Amino acid sequence: KRNSKFPQITEEHVKYFKQLLGAESAVIDGVTKDATDDLEPFNGDWMRKYRGHTKLVLKPGSTEEVSKVLKYCNDNMLAVVPQGGNSGLVGGSVPVFDEIVINMSRMNQIRSFDEISGTLVVDAGVILEVADGYLGERGHIFPLDLGAKGSCHIGGNVATNAGGLRLLRYGSLHGSVLGIEAVLPDGTIVDDLSKLRKNNTGYDLKQLFIGAEGTIGIITGISVLCPQRSSAINVAFFGLESYEKVQLAFKEAKGQLSEILSAFELMDSHSQDLVHNVTKNKRPLEREHPFYCLIETSGSNSEHDNEKLEKFLEYVMENDIVSDGVVAQDSTQVRSLWGWREGIPECLGHWGGVYKYDLSIPIAELYDLVNETRDKITAAGLLGDTPDDPVVGVVGYGHMGDSNLHLNIATRRYDKSVEKVLEPFVYEWIAKRSGSISAEHGLGLAKKNYIGYSRSQTMIGLMKQIKNLYDPNGIMNPYKYI
Ligand code: FAD
Ligand code: 2HG
Ligand code: ZN
């Protein structure tokens, strides 16, 4: 239900914002002129699952403008939703009712880069791929990579604490983000844009913004430590006969490839069948296998790396851990092999809706959930090839190296009968193993009712106290997880 403490937007509000930001690109306004169509992309999410009804999208161009916008909203009790590239997967970036969208796309400048320390300072609205391209020209790499890189913002990445494909190597943003500039709801600019690696002077408050999903303030600037770009990159793609063998391969990869291992990704045959169904691309391996892994190595000496990789391949083949494999011969093949992994989320959306679960539990049991879920969906008669069957496939894939599984149920339409089989079953299954119901995507709207499966009442209580301290009027991303 819409909270009536938030007033409707009036012409007077719109007038203020227009004066502040400029009438043109700054404000898309469905109140004073009929521009409903223009608002569509800001109201709907990437999965086509959540839809809000904002009548106002504001695009501030500077930290000062964000500050003035938020102060005005706070003084007038106007609810807001911070929005980056709108690629989030939990419904956090779109309004639930008519909250004002504060879209960060105009704050898209790279502020500075220090080639010696590798410290990059950017506006929050810089697109991840743009930053990575800029760094590439300077021999560096952004410490995060993910399938949505062409549209997601670094501010959105930090607000969700995105994990991605190379967390195994470069760690979480909680480690690589050195500083944050953010605006609190009352307009206060928090300037903690440190460029220092070490700074133990009191509480590390910037950490609160990392993963807060826009509930306590708006991130406007970020400084991040970027590693050196590796000159030697290898990608291998394997087929394996069981999940037990996948685990053995992971153990060997860590042991034998050690410091050059930069990604270890898992894909089951069900995910690869659906990708093939959509792209019709030639499969990397001759024969089909129940499981596939993608391994990436990055190092500074290709001779050394090749030797290590070859030895590893010999070992896993000879010891019957891996049944078949291919190593990319050039950068085109590197991209094409990655496509079988990175392309999964997009391909799964081909039929209609996808139910997504993003979980972390100890690695030994990780894949059991996919099998059990598929059995339940099959037993309920929901999975099949005809248009009457709502489910197209139950697939598992993810960041094996981080014990992070993506369980996806691809459907022809979002359907209550499917949802009933999945929830709370999946959450209970995870809670029984003390796992996380949200390993890397956040809670947003999708998981707001399930936080108790992974967090104690004491922890939730502390989170609420922090929320109240930073946002006493509750204008920041309301109706979401907190
Ligand atoms: P949005 O979707 O716009 O917003 C996400 C949340 O952050 C919202 O709650 C919003 O209110 C808040 N927010 C946005 N900007 C700000 C800001 N400046 N200040 C405060 N709050 C803000 N995630 C992973 O972790 N790993 C992956 O591998 C991964 N792969 C993906 C692949 C695809 C194809 C897609 C579509 C998504 C993927 N994601 C992944 C989801 C991931 O959360 C987002 O892609 C990304 O981190 C969100 O960035 P965004 O700019 O699109 O944020
Ligand atoms: C990935 O790893 C993303 O590809 C998306 O985190 C996962 O869509 C998903 O469930
Ligand atoms: Zn992921």
Side-chain angles (χ1 to χ4, degrees), residues 9 21 27 46 78 137 156 158 173 210 236 259 275 277 305 338 350 360 364 409 414 416 423 449 470:
I9 290 160
L21 303 174
V27 184
W46 188 85
L78 298 170
E137 289 165 11
V158 174
L173 291 174
I210 305 176
E259 82 286 354
V275 169
N277 201 314
D305 291 8
W338 263 118
H350 172 80
S360 184
I409 295 86
Y414 289 110
K416 281 281 165 215
E423 295 175 18
N449 295 326
Y470 279 75

Side-chain angles (χ1 to χ4, degrees), residues 164 341 358 398-399 404 406 440-441:
R341 165 62 186 87
D358 159 38
H399 316 291
N404 177 190
H406 296 310
E440 62 168 6
H441 297 160

Side-chain angles (χ1 to χ4, degrees), residues 46 89 146-147 164-165 265 341-342 344-345 348 354 356-358 397-399 404 406-408 440-441:
W46 188 85
L89 298 174
L146 45 80
L165 303 162
E265 293 288 315
R341 165 62 186 87
E342 271 187 282
I344 300 172
L348 295 185
V354 185
K356 290 184 178 293
Y357 301 94
D358 159 38
Y397 61 101
H399 316 291
N404 177 190
H406 296 310
L407 164 66
N408 279 203
E440 62 168 6
H441 297 160

Side-chain angles (χ1 to χ4, degrees), residues 9 48 59 71 106 138 175 184 208 236 244 264 268-269 279 288-289 332 342 353 367 378-379 400 404 429 442:
I9 290 160
R48 298 178 299 263
K59 296 185 177 182
K71 183 173 178 0
R106 276 180 69 224
R138 289 154 183 83
L184 302 184
L208 280 178
E244 281 62 44
F264 193 107
D268 69 2
S269 62
T279 64
E288 291 176 31
H289 305 265
T332 312
E342 271 187 282
Y367 197 77
T378 309
M400 176 87 183
N404 177 190
W429 198 96

